[in-house]
Every structure is written in C-alpha cells, then in structure tokens.
C-alpha cells in the first residue's frame, strides 16, 4: 500500500485504511482461489457476455439534473459506526432512483461498511427496468483488476479508484482495465497532488473527498480549493462526503461541481424522496407526475369489421380489441384483423407529430409509469384507438408474434396462463390478463416491471375483486378494468370507486346495449 498520504499513524499503529486494505487483500486472495470464482472463471463469464449491459456514467451525469446526485447505500462506516443497519439495498436503490439520483453508489465492503457485492447486484436488479436508470457505482477499496471484473459481472457501470491508495503505475493499469470493460471510473482525490495525478491520468470523473481517509476529518472546503484545477477541462467534478443540505449543494454548484455524492444523510433521512428533492432543489412531487388519464380510456373488445372500428374511433375509444384465437366465438381471421388495422392506421396523421417533450429535469420514472405516459401521449396526439390482438391460453408465442407482425397490432393481450417472459419477445405493447380472484402471488407477479406494460384485471362479479384491483393499482401498474358482463355506467362507477383504472374494458355487445 502506498503511504504517500501518510496513512501510517504517527505512533506506528496501522490506520483504519490500512486495516481495511489488509483485510480486503485477504478477501480477494480467497475469492481468487475459490473454484468457480478464479480470475480465469471471471474471464470466461465476461467472454460469454454474461455481464449485464453497461451504461455510460459520463453520459448519465451529463444528461441528468445539475448537479447530479450520487446517492450512496451505506449501512455503517468506520468513522460513524452503525448508520442504518436495517436498510435494504434493493428498496433503497429504487427509492434513490425514483427520487432522481443519477448514480447509485453501493459500498460493497462487508466488515466496516456492512455492505456486499450482493447488495450491489440487488440494487442494480431493483432499478433495471427503469427507462432512464441511474448508473451503479461499486464503492470499494480497489487494488486488483479482479475486483473490477467482479464489479462489472455483478452489474456495476463504474468503480471507485482511490488515488491515495494506489502507486501511479497501478492506478493507470486499473484505470485502463476499467475503461476496457466499458466503465469510466470515479477517481477519488483529497489534495492538489492527487488531483494532478487524476488529471494526468485523463480521468473524466474526479471526486474530491472532503473526508480525509487517514483521520476522518471532514473539511467541506477541500472540494472548493481544488475546483479551479478542473476548470475548462472535460472533467465532471464531484464533491464527496459530509454533504447534508441544499445549502452545501448550492455552494458547490457555484464552484463548478457537476455531481455530489451523499451517503450518511440520505441513509438517515426519514423521508428519503423529499430529502433528495430538497437537496437537488426540485419542487415536491406533484400529482401530475403520477399520471393517469383524467378519465379512464374506453376499451371495446370483440370488434370484427373495419366499420365497427372506425365507428368506435369516432366515438373516442382508446383501445379496440380483436379476438385472434380461432376457438373464440368472436374470432376474426388475420386478414380481417389486417383490414381493421389498415382502416385505423389511415386515420392517423401522416405528418410528423410533435410529442410532448420530456424535460431532462424530470425525476426518473418507473417502467409502468413511463409506458402509461408514452401511450397516453400517443393517443393524445393521434386520437386513434390502439388495436389490441387478444389471445387465449391455446396460442403459442410464435403464433402471437406472427399475428402482431402481419396485422400490425399496436398491442397484444396475453391470457393469465401465458408465461411472463413471453412479453419480452413480443414486438408491441403487451397487456396481461389476470383474474380479479387472483391470489397474492399471482398479483405480485404481474407487478414485475420490464415485461408487460398494462394489466387487465378481469372482473367477474366475485367478492374481493375490487380489493385485487386496488392492490394492483397501488403499485402504479396501469390497470385496465375488465368488466365481463358488466355494462351499466353505475356498475362501472361502483367498480372503479376509490381506484383509478387506466382504462375500462367492455364487450362490443355490452357497449352497444349501454349506448342504446
Ligand atoms: O456519508 P457521507 O459523508 O455522505 O460520505 C459518502 C462518501 O463520500 C464516503 O462514503 C466515501 C468517500 N470515499 C470513500 C472511500 C471508501 C469508502 C467510503 C467513501
């Protein structure tokens, strides 16, 4: 270990940094010699492309809010002891992401920080399906390429390299290795000499740690004093440690700081989301951000001719459904479905339509929220219903994909028994049916982001149905209320009371008789 930062205490006893470093050396040696996780194994895993997709942390910081927030998952630390032992990495990561973090930093050191590589991997999985997910940073005492390969395989987009810990040739080697894996590291410095080393390295993200790792003293002026050295360069300057108020953040912005890394005060916050917004000077979350159409859209199933579809379009339907499984009594052929599709598409404006642009300052959205918002904005612009192909449990995935292409379906509706993963093979929006009588496990399944986009809860008059609907609704999954046999306005009103379905679905007979 480099002692250029004077990390050996004056009395000759090892500093905490040295203790951590010595322990980590042992841990890494052990992992390297364990069958299945040897360096050769990690190389094999990387060459099999088993590492999850990486995002550019530089791009993520440049395109996000200014300054970017690097929110840290930190259960304990050597200087503060226990901070938040019961914190769950996955739920903490999701809260950070939805609150507006650009980067999620996960401490993976087990002994002093009570973290793990599993925490990092869970944090990544929790935010995987967000359309604009934050980058994942492995916060670790890194001295070996092995730790960087391990980070990449477990879902990191970037790693920390601490200049004070690494002789320059080693720092350079680790930096290039990380770049080779697609990860621009966060290079941590604490004084002008280290800053110069980081600049000479060509680092694009440099973090100034306000906390001296030797004596743990926090001096918030450390970042301010070094800020000038990065001026005019293509470097994102980050302030690390001791940040606990919007006042701290504001001062740094004026000094050219592009991102702030916050751990302890976020882990201790009672309302994490509100605290993030306060730190970033964002207004509190508004109702508009939890978008639903003002009134539920109408979905009418069992359409069989272009004329019917055009009539429904005229009457303002949001979705029209055609049955595409041959055994259904109202089934249409692929040819009929194509004609309906063509008729609807001819209604859509030919000109290029301007979509409501999404402000870059908007906080990160969830999978379901993003799809509901985008779909609503398409409907808003075109005012033409989406064509849904409805399939029964007898349809194979190949048949469904074929039909989606041939009839140019806007959406596919899968039966409750279709495997969940089918959604990721279907080239259009996916609605998943679920009976209102579904058990808790089934309802939890349909809340999984990253697969289908909407859930249609089939109400058949059974007790408990409204509860089921409310449960799904609670999680932000856009719900289409399937009203089998329910036709009257008052019945619909009774069903939707207290919940906000995204759409209400009825049969074409039901629709016609309700109108009559
Ligand atoms: O909890 P704070 O004061 O917000 O600090 C976070 C972060 O800067 C700190 O965890 C940190 C900065 N550099 C490190 C290196 C190793 C371990 C931890 C760190």
């Amino acid at each position: 270990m480099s002692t250029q930062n004077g990390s050996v205490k004056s009395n000759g006893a090892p500093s905490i940094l040295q203790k951590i470093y010595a322990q980590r050396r042992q841990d890494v040696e052990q992992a390297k010699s364990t069958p299945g996780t040897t360096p050769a194994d990690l190389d094999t895993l990387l060459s099999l492309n088993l590492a999850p997709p990486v995002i550019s942390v530089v791009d993520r910081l440049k395109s996000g809010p200014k300054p970017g927030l690097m929110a840290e998952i930190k259960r304990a630390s050597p200087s503060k002891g226990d901070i938040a032992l019961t914190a769950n990495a996955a739920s903490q990561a999701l809260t950070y992401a939805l609150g507006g973090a650009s980067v999620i930093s996960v401490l993976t050191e087990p002994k002093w920080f009570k973290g793990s590589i599993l925490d990092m991997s869970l944090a990544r999985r929790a935010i995987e399906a967000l359309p604009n997910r934050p980058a994942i940073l492995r916060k670790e005492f890194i001295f070996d390429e092995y730790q960087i390969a391990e980070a990449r395989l477990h879902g990191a987009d970037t790693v920390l390299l601490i200049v004070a810990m690494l002789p320059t040739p080693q720092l350079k080697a680790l930096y290039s290795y990380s770049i080779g894996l697609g990860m621009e590291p966060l290079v941590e410095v604490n004084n002008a000499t280290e800053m110069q080393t980081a600049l000479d390295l060509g680092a694009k993200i440099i973090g100034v740690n306000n906390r001296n790792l030797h004596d743990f003293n926090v001096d918030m002026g450390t970042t301010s004093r070094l800020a000038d050295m990065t001026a005019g360069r293509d470097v994102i300057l980050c302030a690390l440690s001791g940040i606990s108020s919007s006042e701290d953040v504001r001062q740094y912005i004026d000094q050219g700081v592009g991102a702030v890394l916050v751990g302890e005060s976020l882990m201790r916050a009672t309302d994490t989301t509100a605290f993030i917004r306060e730190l970033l000077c964002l207004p509190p979350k508004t109702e508009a951000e939890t978008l639903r159409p003002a009134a539920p859209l109408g979905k009418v199933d069992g359409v069989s001719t272009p004329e019917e579809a055009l009539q429904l379009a005229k009457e303002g339907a949001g979705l029209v459904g055609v049955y595409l499984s041959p055994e259904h009594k109202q089934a249409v052929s692929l040819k009929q479905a194509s004609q309906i599709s063509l008729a609807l598409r001819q209604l859509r404006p030919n000109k290029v339509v301007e979509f409501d642009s999404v402000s870059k300052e908007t906080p990160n959205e969830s999978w379901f929220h993003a799809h509901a918002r985008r779909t609503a904005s398409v409907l808003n612009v075109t005012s033409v219903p989406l064509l849904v192909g409805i399939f029964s449990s007898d349809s194979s995935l190949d048949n469904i994909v074929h039909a989606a292409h041939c009839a140019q379906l806007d959406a596919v509706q899968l039966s409750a028994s279709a495997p969940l993963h089918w959604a990721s093979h279907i080239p259009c929006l996916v609605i998943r049916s679920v009976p209102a009588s579904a058990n808790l496990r089934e309802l939890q399944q349909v809340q999984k982001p990253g697969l289908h986009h909407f859930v249609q809860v089939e109400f058949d008059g059974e007790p408990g149905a409204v509860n089921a609907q409310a449960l799904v609704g609670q999680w932000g999954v856009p719900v289409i209320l399937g009203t089998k046999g329910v036709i009257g306005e008052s019945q619909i009103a009774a069903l939707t009371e207290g919940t906000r379905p995204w759409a209400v679905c009825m049969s074409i007979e039901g629709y016609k008789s309700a109108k009559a």
Side-chain angles (χ1 to χ4, degrees):
M1 176 170 177
S2 153
T3 52
Q4 54 192 322
N5 65 340
S7 49
V8 176
K9 287 188 179 168
S10 48
N11 61 8
S15 74
I16 186 71
L17 187 58
Q18 284 182 308
K19 284 189 199 161
I20 297 173
Y21 198 77
Q23 179 64 51
R24 278 328 240 164
R25 277 214 172 278
Q26 278 182 27
D27 298 342
V28 170
E29 279 321 307
Q30 195 183 354
K32 282 169 120 178
S33 59
T34 302
T37 60
T38 64
D41 285 313
L42 300 202
D43 284 342
T44 303
L45 298 174
L46 287 171
S47 67
L48 284 172
N49 260 320
L50 287 188
V54 73
I55 63 169
S56 156
V57 59
V58 172
D59 291 350
R60 188 63 184 77
L61 280 169
K62 284 190 174 163
S63 66
K66 302 283 172 330
L69 174 65
M70 300 171 136
E72 185 155 282
I73 299 176
K74 185 182 191 180
R75 289 199 190 85
S77 76
S79 59
K80 299 293 175 80
D82 294 346
I83 295 170
L85 291 191
T86 57
N88 179 279
S91 67
Q92 192 77 12
L94 190 57
T95 304
Y96 285 166
L98 293 175
S102 301
V103 174
I104 294 175
S105 163
V106 188
L107 254 323
T108 59
E109 193 286 324
K111 192 166 171 165
W112 287 273
F113 292 90
K114 298 194 165 63
S116 66
I117 195 97
L118 178 62
D119 274 346
M120 190 190 78
S121 150
L122 292 170
R124 161 86 192 233
R125 275 157 66 187
I127 61 161
E128 184 71 37
L130 305 188
N132 183 27
R133 72 170 177 86
I136 297 279
L137 163 68
R138 180 177 191 186
K139 203 67 169 334
E140 181 55 82
F141 301 85
I142 288 177
F143 45 79
D144 193 316
E145 289 178 2
Y146 182 89
Q147 296 163 290
I148 300 175
E150 196 181 41
R152 175 75 185 83
L153 282 164
H154 288 92
D157 302 291
T158 177
V159 294
L160 178 73
L161 294 177
I162 305 173
V163 173
M165 271 184 52
L166 300 162
T168 306
Q170 195 182 355
L171 175 68
K172 276 191 180 153
L174 293 170
Y175 181 82
S176 326
Y177 183 75
S178 181
I179 296 284
L181 290 182
M183 302 189 292
E184 175 72 44
L186 166 63
V187 178
E188 177 176 316
V189 303
N190 185 245
N191 58 43
T193 316
E194 291 174 10
M195 174 62 94
Q196 196 52 56
T197 306
L199 292 170
D200 294 344
L201 193 63
K204 297 221 160 27
I205 311 176
I206 302 181
V208 179
N209 197 351
N210 294 317
R211 182 178 291 114
N212 180 316
L213 287 177
H214 170 51
D215 57 17
F216 294 140
N217 279 336
V218 175
D219 173 358
M220 303 291 284
T222 318
T223 301
S224 317
R225 284 191 296 275
L226 300 180
D228 275 354
M229 292 179 74
T230 61
R233 292 181 185 248
D234 184 20
V235 166
I236 302 173
L237 176 66
C238 313
L240 327 182
S241 303
I243 297 160
S244 63
S245 72
S246 56
E247 192 43 45
D248 297 336
V249 175
R250 228 181 329 236
Q251 279 179 12
Y252 283 140
I253 299 177
D254 295 340
Q255 295 158 3
V257 167
V260 291
L261 192 145
V262 185
E264 185 184 348
S265 63
L266 275 170
M267 295 301 289
R268 290 194 198 276
T270 40
D271 183 343
T272 315
T273 309
F275 182 59
I276 291 176
R277 298 182 77 93
E278 185 195 313
L279 275 181
L280 299 183
C281 305
L282 294 169
K285 258 198 169 166
T286 62
E287 178 69 0
E289 285 170 32
T290 53
L291 173 143
R292 286 292 141 93
L297 298 169
K299 175 170 181 275
V300 180
D301 286 354
V303 171
S304 58
T305 64
E307 293 69 33
E308 271 176 355
L310 291 175
Q311 182 60 28
L312 286 165
K314 211 187 255 174
E315 290 165 12
L319 306 109
V320 297
V322 291
Y323 289 100
L324 282 169
S325 292
E327 59 283 359
H328 195 280
K329 57 182 189 318
Q330 285 175 305
V332 296
S333 66
L334 263 188
K335 190 166 175 210
Q336 285 170 293
S338 305
Q339 284 162 352
I340 295 172
S341 174
L342 192 65
L344 288 174
R345 264 177 294 125
Q346 279 168 351
L347 292 181
R348 288 185 188 153
N350 245 339
K351 55 182 167 48
V352 179
V353 284
E354 296 265 342
F355 289 94
D356 304 345
S357 63
V358 184
S359 155
K360 286 190 170 152
E361 306 298 317
T362 51
N364 303 342
E365 289 178 291
S366 77
W367 163 266
F368 289 109
H369 183 267
H371 282 287
R373 182 183 52 75
R374 290 176 184 151
T375 307
S377 93
V378 168
L379 284 170
N380 223 354
V381 170
T382 65
S383 305
V384 179
L386 300 178
L387 180 62
V388 185
I390 306 167
F391 295 87
S392 73
S393 57
D394 298 319
S395 306
S396 72
L397 177 59
D398 279 345
N399 281 337
I400 295 171
V401 172
H402 177 70
H405 279 299
C406 289
Q408 298 208 36
L409 301 173
D410 299 305
V412 153
Q413 184 172 323
L414 295 177
S415 78
S417 63
L420 276 179
H421 75 272
W422 278 14
S424 45
H425 298 274
I426 294 174
C428 59
L429 290 172
V430 176
I431 299 168
R432 184 176 187 82
S433 271
V434 62
S437 56
N439 63 34
L440 204 61
R441 200 190 66 86
E442 290 168 312
L443 285 171
Q444 273 166 353
Q445 293 244 350
V446 303
Q447 290 158 5
K448 186 173 171 56
L451 297 165
H452 45 264
H453 310 97
F454 301 92
V455 170
Q456 178 159 325
V457 182
E458 305 293 357
F459 180 82
D460 50 15
E462 290 200 7
V466 176
N467 281 346
Q469 207 275 331
L471 181 65
V472 178
Q474 222 177 45
W475 286 76
V477 181
V479 167
I480 302 169
L481 197 62
T483 62
K484 218 173 280 176
V486 181
I487 47 168
E489 294 266 329
S490 61
Q491 282 161 298
I492 291 171
L495 279 177
T496 58
E497 201 202 313
T499 62
R500 295 175 65 199
W502 194 76
V504 173
C505 173
M506 60 196 90
S507 66
I508 189 145
E509 303 87 16
Y511 181 78
K512 283 178 179 164
S513 67
K515 273 192 40 174

